[in-house]
């Protein structure tokens, strides 16, 4: 895949202080894309900084650049520092989110900043009009894959992956690996090309898997068992299943950010389940986080937009509900019952 990067090249030439911003509740693709961009820009002589709105999973800590200037700044914990960086940047790059609102605390600051703004994202209906340059397509596995093809198209790389620093290549691989659920979904022919090129570049695929997928705590694996055994409800009339995760249970199982990553996929292993939902109390208890997954042509992106104030992709979407967790099952059933037939499939 080649990408026209001319307008980006012009912006990059002039920029020195570059702020890379991921989304709230960062996943592997968010952390992978901001750290990959950091390593690339740093090697290119720029002064990049990374901001994530909220803490990210501990299993991804190894991607955090081991450098005081690379340290990821969590806006939730260091809001003034994050705001100052956004204000003083020459260039802001938003990665892996389609709406500035997904930066949670920083939307107004980003809009007010005089910095040039670039978007790199793979979600539907991105706010491209808010950016000077926007790379936005849904025909890639992940933001990391899109970023990989952008980097490869830049003249200083010119298709030669040897010119991509190894830590950058590792971050790109991890973002693609996590967003595809380790090549389980959202994989395109180019995704395998990317994986092949990155492995040839020196990325240790097995080591990445080991660090990201096999380094959870005991309590996380026990929580997973508890969710399947005690918290999963099937609604056969809708081919649906859902699980509820309360803040009380999070305490009981010593929950860390990212621990419920992948839980929403578990019910899909059941042949009759076509749609799966995970409802999680947010840390502050102010709302319920909604994760949705589906099989085949069932479109949970449109489902999330209509009923859960969110969106995403056809088979993976999310949103929020402002109601107590115990009211969610009735709302979910109501949503399934009133989901218009013409919106179910895409
Ligand atoms: Mn992503």
């Amino acid at each position: 895949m080649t990408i026209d990067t001319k307008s980006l090249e012009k912006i990059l030439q002039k920029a020195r202080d570059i702020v890379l911003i991921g989304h709230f509740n960062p996943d592997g693709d968010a952390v992978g894309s901001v750290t990959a961009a950091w390593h690339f820009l740093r090697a290119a002589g720029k002064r990049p900084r990374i901001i994530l709105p909220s803490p990210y999973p501990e299993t991804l800590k190894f991607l955090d650049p081991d450098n005081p200037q690379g340290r990821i700044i969590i806006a939730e914990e260091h809001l003034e520092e994050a705001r100052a960086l956004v204000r003083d940047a020459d260039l802001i790059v938003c990665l892996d989110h389609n709406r500035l609102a997904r930066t949670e605390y920083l939307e107004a600051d980003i809009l007010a900043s005089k910095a040039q703004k670039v978007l790199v994202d793979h979600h539907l209906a991105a706010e491209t009009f808010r950016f000077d340059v926007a790379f936005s397509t849904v025909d890639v596995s992940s933001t990391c894959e899109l970023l990989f093809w952008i980097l490869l198209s830049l003249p200083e790389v010119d298709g030669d992956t040897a010119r991509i620093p190894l830590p950058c290549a590792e971050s790109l691989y991890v973002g693609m690996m996590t967003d595809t659920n380790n090549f389980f979904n959202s994989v395109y022919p180019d995704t395998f090309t990317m994986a092949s090129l990155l492995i040839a570049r020196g990325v240790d695929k097995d080591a990445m898997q080991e660090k990201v997928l096999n380094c959870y705590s005991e309590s996380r694996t026990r929580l997973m068992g508890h969710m399947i055994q005690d918290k999963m409800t099937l609604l056969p009339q809708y081919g649906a299943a859902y699980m509820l995760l309360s803040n009380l249970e999070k305490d009981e199982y010593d929950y860390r950010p990212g621990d419920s990553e992948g839980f929403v996929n578990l019910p899909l292993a059941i042949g009759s389940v076509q749609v799966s939902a995970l409802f999680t109390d947010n840390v502050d208890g102010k709302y319920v986080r909604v994760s949705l997954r589906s099989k085949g042509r069932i479109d949970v992106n449109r489902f999330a937009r209509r009923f859960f104030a969110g969106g995403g992709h056809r088979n993976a979407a999310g949103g929020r509900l402002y109601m107590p967790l115990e009211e969610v099952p009735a709302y979910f059933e109501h949503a399934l019952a009133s989901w218009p037939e013409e919106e179910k499939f895409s």
Side-chain angles (χ1 to χ4, degrees):
M1 191 188 292
T2 37
I3 291 176
D4 182 0
T5 55
K6 281 208 179 59
S7 35
L8 175 66
E9 287 161 35
K10 262 190 222 144
I11 289 179
L12 278 178
Q13 251 166 26
K14 286 187 227 143
R16 252 188 89 65
D17 290 300
I18 304 173
V19 173
L20 309 161
I21 307 179
H23 59 75
F24 191 74
N25 282 324
D27 57 4
D29 195 26
V31 180
S33 57
V34 292
T35 55
W38 187 90
H39 284 292
F40 185 83
L41 292 167
R42 176 93 180 169
K46 307 291 182 186
R47 281 197 302 247
R49 299 298 303 267
I50 301 172
I51 301 174
L52 292 175
S54 59
Y56 63 90
E58 259 167 62
T59 49
L60 300 170
K61 281 254 147 70
F62 75 100
L63 296 178
D64 197 342
D66 186 15
N67 175 316
Q69 289 305 304
R71 185 180 56 88
I72 294 175
I73 293 159
I74 307 296
E76 199 169 82
E77 295 161 2
H78 304 279
L79 192 52
E80 285 319 307
E81 192 182 358
R83 288 199 157 133
L85 284 173
V86 167
R87 187 189 58 225
D88 299 337
D90 305 323
L91 168 60
I92 294 168
V93 186
C94 286
L95 296 124
D96 201 34
H97 50 279
N98 55 353
R99 292 177 293 125
L100 287 181
R102 296 219 61 212
T103 65
E104 202 74 22
Y105 316 100
L106 298 169
E107 180 174 12
D109 301 270
I110 295 170
L111 284 174
S113 174
K114 287 191 204 71
Q116 296 269 291
K117 287 154 201 137
V118 170
L119 175 73
V120 184
D121 180 55
H122 71 125
H123 297 89
L124 286 161
E127 293 172 341
T128 53
F129 58 94
R130 288 184 153 177
F131 294 86
D132 298 287
V133 175
F135 299 94
S136 165
T137 170
V138 294
D139 298 325
V140 289
S141 63
S142 53
T143 295
C144 277
E145 182 183 336
L146 181 55
L147 181 60
F148 172 76
W149 295 115
I150 292 169
L151 296 184
L152 222 58
S153 304
L154 288 173
E156 50 271 56
V157 178
D158 194 23
D160 181 3
T161 52
R163 297 183 189 161
I164 293 178
L166 186 58
C168 170
E170 289 176 339
S171 284
L172 292 171
Y173 189 90
V174 166
M176 175 274 293
M177 180 186 94
T178 51
D179 252 26
T180 61
N181 202 1
N182 211 9
F183 297 95
F184 194 87
N185 50 258
S186 329
V187 170
Y188 296 78
D190 277 337
T191 313
F192 288 111
T193 308
M194 167 197 183
S196 165
L197 288 168
L198 287 178
I199 290 167
R201 166 65 186 88
V203 172
D204 184 341
K205 165 193 167 294
D206 294 351
M208 297 299 111
Q209 276 171 202
E210 195 59 31
K211 285 181 181 178
V212 179
L213 305 173
N214 287 346
C215 277
Y216 286 111
S217 62
E218 176 187 343
S219 56
R220 188 260 185 183
T221 295
R222 293 204 184 275
L223 174 62
M224 189 192 278
H226 167 63
M227 294 300 288
I228 295 173
Q229 178 69 18
D230 308 317
K231 302 301 298 283
M232 182 174 67
T233 303
L234 263 62
L235 301 169
Q237 67 274 39
Y238 304 113
Y242 68 90
M243 299 188 287
L244 304 172
L245 176 56
S246 69
N247 277 337
L248 220 71
E249 280 159 321
K250 287 195 208 166
D251 287 345
E252 199 181 321
Y253 286 89
D254 192 23
Y255 183 91
R256 302 288 163 84
D259 273 1
S260 55
E261 198 65 46
F263 284 9
V264 65
N265 295 313
L266 298 170
L268 293 178
I270 302 166
S272 62
V273 173
Q274 303 296 312
V275 178
S276 168
L278 172 67
F279 300 103
T280 312
D281 262 336
N282 194 47
V283 193
D284 57 14
K286 284 189 183 142
Y287 60 89
V288 173
R289 287 171 52 197
V290 181
S291 282
L292 297 160
R293 297 291 182 275
S294 65
K295 289 177 182 168
R297 306 216 62 85
I298 296 180
D299 190 344
V300 286
N301 169 53
R302 283 197 265 179
F303 191 45
R305 280 163 177 266
R306 182 177 276 253
F307 297 101
F308 302 99
H313 311 279
R314 185 179 72 199
N315 294 128
R320 287 181 184 186
L321 280 177
Y322 289 87
M323 61 176 69
L325 195 61
E326 52 278 12
E327 289 176 19
V328 167
Y331 180 81
F332 183 51
E333 279 207 54
H334 153 80
L336 287 166
S338 41
W339 193 2
E341 203 56 37
E342 65 274 14
E343 271 188 22
K344 251 178 211 166
F345 305 98
S346 73

